[in-house]
Amino acid sequence: MAEKLRLMTVHAHPDDESSKGAASTARYAAEGHDVMVVTCTGGEAGSILNPAMDKPGVVENMPEIRRREMAEAAEILGVHHRWMGFVDSGLPEGDPPPPLPDGCFANQPLELPTEELVRIVREFRPHVVVTYDENGGYPHPDHVKCHEVSMAAFDAAGDPDRFPGAGEPWQPLKLYYGHGFSRRRMQLFHDSLLERGLESPYGEWLRKWDASRQDPYERVTTQVECADYFEVRDDALRAHATQIDPNSRWFAVPLDIQRSVWPTEEYELVRSLVDTTLPEDDLFTGVQERVHA
């Protein structure tokens, strides 16, 4: 490899880094690049989603447990990790939904978390940043806020007039949205399972899919081959034991089917300061040439 490059992914909660783009980050780390996961909140509002973890002492110690889970996942993926230190907003439920808790991440004035992320960007100096789209991937208030903060920090990090106390300016060269949830992918997995006489967990989802809703796959510009790292991804997911049931639909499609049917992870290039040609198969397309110019 000509030179080690740096990739930063920005996520709302611990476990998001393992359920969204984890095989790609594991691949880049294994190839010798520096990869950093930034987590905006501690996931304090997370429920116990794995029945095996529904036992005394877990809810009471959820923040500490989720920090340990995140450390284990980062080690499995081979990535650096930084906490931004904000408090999980939770997912409000009801009609109308209740107000968000005081002081939570989603209620922070934009400048505050933006400055913290700018500080991390200027310290790590990523060439490429990955975050969520304008809908947050799904409309959790922390995911939407993560998008807003990531976009603001990408623009501010290279500007010496913005946050002058947050380190020496550094301008990342590319910014992507990760797109992991597509109808096309789900349909292929569903059909492949049924063709093999296996049960599919996707039938109800497909039946309920709003036909007027755009498939995020239509926005994809970049597909990263990472099938060799699907097992690493799954191990990182299982590290988040309070959130991931090892018997759940996350693991319903055998890895051999996944590798043959859909061996990539998907991204949308939204900002680029380097020359590239779409579609791409590498988040670092055009970056190596700029770094060596």
Side-chain angles (χ1 to χ4, degrees):
M1 186 176 59
E3 180 171 334
K4 180 183 290 190
L5 300 175
R6 294 180 295 277
L7 169 67
M8 173 181 285
T9 68
V10 187
H11 292 281
H13 311 104
D15 79 59
D16 288 327
E17 85 297 327
S18 296
S19 61
K20 302 166 184 65
S24 304
T25 55
R27 171 193 155 177
Y28 285 119
E31 289 177 349
H33 298 294
D34 275 340
V35 181
M36 175 175 283
V37 169
V38 177
T39 308
C40 297
T41 80
E44 299 88 351
S47 303
I48 299 174
L49 302 179
N50 176 6
M53 292 295 290
D54 191 5
K55 52 190 179 183
V58 175
V59 170
E60 297 83 350
N61 296 290
M62 185 67 81
E64 177 186 348
I65 291 171
R66 297 206 71 180
R67 291 184 77 87
R68 292 202 303 265
E69 292 174 346
M70 182 65 238
E72 182 180 351
E75 183 175 0
I76 291 168
L77 294 172
V79 302
H80 307 284
H81 179 253
R82 287 284 295 272
W83 298 99
M84 280 180 60
F86 294 96
V87 176
D88 189 345
S89 306
L91 183 59
E93 296 181 325
D95 187 18
L100 294 172
D102 291 340
C104 70
F105 177 55
N107 274 345
Q108 295 294 326
L110 184 60
E111 290 289 285
L112 185 61
T114 297
E115 180 172 10
E116 180 58 26
L117 185 54
V118 165
R119 190 183 312 279
I120 298 170
V121 167
R122 289 175 176 174
E123 177 186 319
F124 182 64
R125 297 161 65 90
H127 299 100
V128 175
V129 175
V130 178
T131 189
Y132 309 142
D133 68 13
E134 67 279 1
N135 301 310
Y138 81 107
H140 188 297
D142 285 339
H143 283 244
V144 175
K145 189 74 168 190
C146 179
H147 161 80
E148 295 170 351
V149 171
S150 299
M151 300 303 290
F154 184 89
D155 291 335
D159 186 345
D161 295 328
R162 300 289 306 280
F163 309 114
E168 291 296 317
W170 174 262
Q171 180 59 59
L173 298 175
K174 299 175 84 174
L175 183 141
Y176 289 89
Y177 298 155
H179 287 301
F181 186 77
S182 82
R183 190 189 191 288
R184 179 173 175 176
R185 179 174 179 269
M186 192 187 306
Q187 186 71 60
L188 280 173
F189 284 166
H190 176 76
D191 293 344
S192 296
L193 288 167
L194 296 184
E195 286 168 4
R196 292 164 173 80
L198 301 173
E199 185 177 349
S200 169
Y202 302 116
E204 184 176 358
W205 278 2
L206 290 165
R207 285 191 297 272
K208 291 183 176 180
W209 188 281
D210 182 355
S212 65
R213 175 186 173 191
Q214 182 188 38
D215 187 339
Y217 183 78
E218 296 175 18
R219 298 174 55 168
V220 167
T221 63
T222 309
Q223 293 186 276
V224 176
E225 173 79 44
C226 51
D228 290 345
Y229 298 91
F230 286 171
E231 190 168 1
V232 177
R233 173 204 63 195
D234 288 357
D235 287 345
L237 263 175
R238 283 186 282 263
H240 293 281
T242 59
Q243 306 302 300
I244 305 295
D245 181 350
N247 299 309
S248 67
R249 69 182 69 192
W250 285 109
F251 310 102
V253 183
L255 290 182
D256 63 317
I257 296 178
Q258 293 187 46
R259 291 183 176 121
S260 64
V261 171
W262 200 285
T264 60
E265 289 179 336
E266 281 62 50
Y267 300 88
E268 176 187 356
L269 178 62
V270 290
R271 302 277 181 86
S272 182
L273 302 179
V274 299
D275 293 333
T276 187
T277 300
L278 302 180
E280 303 172 320
D281 61 4
D282 183 358
L283 300 179
F284 289 128
T285 297
V287 172
Q288 192 79 259
E289 293 81 357
R290 172 66 70 87
V291 169
H292 287 297

